[in-house]
Amino acid sequence: MMRIFFVSMLISLSAMSCIKINETFVSPGRVPIADYHARCQPFHELCNSINGTQNIKVEVIGHGSSSWRYYPMGINKDGVVYGNGFQSKATPAMDVKDLIKISNSIDPTMSIELDAHYPPKDHLIRKIYPDDGAYVMHDIPEWDKNKVNNKNALSYLHANTLKGILEYFVEEDFYKKSKVYVEIKVDKIHYEDSGKEELEEWCNALASELTTFATHYQRDDQENWLCITSFSPEALDMFYKSLNDSTLQSQFDYVLIAGYKGGIFKSFFANMKGYVPKYNDSIQNFIVDTEWLDCVWFSEQGLNDFDSIFTKIVVDRKEKHPSFKPVEFSFSNYQYKEEKMLKKISKATPKKYKIRSFMVDIDY
């Protein structure tokens, strides 16, 4: 009896430790919803300092549809689609359309970020819902596991298709002030040669889904509101080429997410929530040599020497391709608490490159 009690206590303590770790160490710089405007202001001021501008509010992007706790992260063993937080893998995710509505109420100009996934052609969900297209979730679903076939999971996915979410976004006219960043999620298999054929199929399908939205809904300020992001240069290239029309290609913005530099320790933490490639010369050359690339997203935690990297990119791109537009940069601000993050980003040399936006985690 004492042994059972002792084991039970250990399990409880372990669970409490996991809860504390999840709440304290995952996204320590996340912003309580009530503090959004006050917490963003110092970062706007810092961006003005880096860009050499005054009183300009750069774009703010809400990570995971502007909800750290309720954005769909994955599917647990019971088939429940869960979010982040104190009940990790048990807190039910909310409908993404509801998250977007909340995001718009916080700040109508705040853009949102979504993750797109395509199931295998022979998966059960394809047979039940053949016209669904891409689904929105942070982690790449383990399509071969029974939990994905659970009625709860199937129901949530069907209610949260990328197509359905974008239809809601345009019906509410959110696109007139806000933008949507759609990430093409890529695991290691699809980043490397063995998965390239299927990756190309995903990119073709995504281009087909988004074309109608890009052509039928345009902002008065003529800025693109649909933006494609990925850690994979090849995924961006495949998507761009699949549009096969220069006018259509110009109706999207293209954003490369930079990975990390460092050894095993850095790799471990960078890959905790999905595959993140190591930043190398090949990726940097892609940034320098790709005319249509608009922006590079980065985490200071992944690229400590971002200032020297970006300065070199700007110089090399201008020297090699003087007719190319300058590439811009964007950082995520939630890996550290506010004071520490501001200090780390302030390493940027003023007026060497432009900070286009920063990404926030919002909690409620």
Side-chain angles (χ1 to χ4, degrees):
M1 182 67 72
M2 284 299 293
R3 179 178 292 179
I4 293 172
F5 174 76
F6 182 68
V7 171
S8 177
M9 284 294 292
L10 281 177
I11 292 171
S12 298
L13 287 170
S14 175
M16 289 174 66
S17 297
C18 289
I19 290 168
K20 187 174 180 181
I21 287 171
N22 192 265
E23 287 288 321
T24 305
F25 295 105
V26 177
S27 191
R30 66 185 185 272
V31 178
I33 190 170
D35 300 338
Y36 167 79
H37 292 284
R39 289 280 295 275
C40 284
Q41 186 57 34
F43 289 97
H44 284 301
E45 293 171 1
L46 177 57
C47 291
N48 274 297
S49 175
I50 296 169
N51 293 342
T53 54
Q54 292 184 341
N55 302 319
I56 301 293
K57 285 193 172 183
V58 302
E59 178 188 18
V60 180
I61 304 168
H63 185 218
S65 196
S66 307
S67 178
W68 177 77
R69 195 172 300 273
Y70 296 110
Y71 183 73
M73 294 299 294
I75 304 170
N76 70 17
K77 59 183 177 59
D78 298 316
V80 175
V81 177
Y82 60 85
N84 266 309
F86 61 93
Q87 293 178 314
S88 182
K89 296 193 176 182
T91 305
M94 290 173 59
D95 188 297
V96 175
K97 293 184 285 294
D98 291 333
L99 301 180
I100 292 173
K101 185 176 181 178
I102 294 170
S103 177
N104 184 261
S105 71
I106 302 168
D107 178 2
T109 68
M110 178 165 49
S111 298
I112 60 165
E113 181 254 359
L114 305 171
D115 306 281
H117 305 281
Y118 286 92
K121 293 177 180 178
D122 59 350
H123 195 273
L124 175 64
I125 198 168
R126 278 282 177 253
K127 297 172 183 176
I128 302 174
Y129 307 116
D131 300 322
D132 272 4
Y135 297 104
V136 171
M137 183 175 292
H138 185 275
D139 298 346
I140 298 176
E142 298 175 285
W143 297 109
D144 59 335
K145 299 294 179 65
N146 287 333
K147 62 184 181 181
V148 183
N149 294 333
N150 183 289
K151 64 179 181 179
N152 294 322
L154 293 175
S155 176
Y156 183 92
L157 289 170
H158 178 56
N160 288 274
T161 64
L162 178 62
K163 188 191 312 177
I165 291 166
L166 291 179
E167 285 172 351
Y168 170 75
F169 196 82
V170 298
E171 285 168 4
E172 297 294 322
D173 286 339
F174 293 156
Y175 73 97
K176 293 182 178 180
K177 293 184 178 180
S178 175
K179 299 179 181 181
V180 177
Y181 288 80
V182 180
E183 181 179 347
I184 304 171
K185 299 289 276 197
V186 178
D187 56 18
K188 190 173 182 179
I189 292 173
H190 293 90
Y191 192 86
E192 297 172 348
D193 289 340
S194 58
K196 291 293 172 65
E197 185 175 340
E198 187 172 38
L199 176 61
E200 188 168 15
E201 291 175 2
W202 295 348
C203 293
N204 291 341
L206 182 62
S208 178
E209 283 199 70
L210 297 184
T211 293
T212 299
F213 294 101
T215 55
H216 285 71
Y217 302 95
Q218 297 178 1
R219 290 165 56 131
D220 292 338
D221 61 12
Q222 300 305 305
E223 289 191 16
N224 295 330
W225 65 274
L226 276 171
C227 313
I228 308 303
T229 79
S230 185
F231 281 100
S232 167
E234 193 147 11
L236 290 179
D237 190 61
M238 287 175 177
F239 179 90
Y240 181 83
K241 288 177 179 175
S242 69
L243 295 171
N244 202 30
D245 177 87
S246 59
T247 300
L248 187 54
Q249 289 168 339
S250 69
Q251 292 175 329
F252 293 87
D253 276 11
Y254 305 91
V255 181
L256 180 71
I257 312 173
Y260 70 95
K261 290 179 71 176
I264 296 175
F265 185 76
K266 263 290 186 63
S267 174
F268 173 77
F269 284 101
N271 286 274
M272 283 183 70
K273 287 194 172 183
Y275 179 66
V276 175
K278 194 169 185 175
Y279 189 88
N280 55 29
D281 289 343
S282 176
I283 292 173
Q284 183 143 327
N285 290 338
F286 174 83
I287 298 170
V288 170
D289 296 328
T290 303
E291 182 176 8
W292 44 264
L293 186 68
D294 295 286
C295 186
V296 176
W297 281 359
F298 75 99
S299 156
E300 194 282 337
Q301 198 174 50
L303 293 182
N304 302 133
D305 54 344
F306 71 89
D307 187 53
S308 60
I309 293 173
F310 297 165
T311 300
K312 182 169 174 30
I313 286 172
V314 169
V315 171
D316 289 353
R317 187 173 167 99
K318 189 172 183 179
E319 287 182 353
K320 290 182 67 177
H321 310 286
S323 64
F324 284 12
K325 63 189 175 189
V327 70
E328 298 176 338
F329 301 91
S330 176
F331 63 89
S332 51
N333 78 344
Y334 43 80
Q335 288 84 9
Y336 303 104
K337 291 186 176 179
E338 180 181 358
E339 185 178 351
K340 187 175 182 179
M341 180 57 76
L342 286 166
K343 185 176 180 180
K344 286 182 173 292
I345 299 299
S346 66
K347 295 183 299 185
T349 305
K351 301 182 182 180
K352 289 291 185 181
Y353 43 84
K354 183 179 178 181
I355 300 296
R356 162 175 164 155
S357 57
F358 60 89
M359 183 181 287
V360 299
D361 260 344
I362 299 176
D363 197 8
Y364 50 84

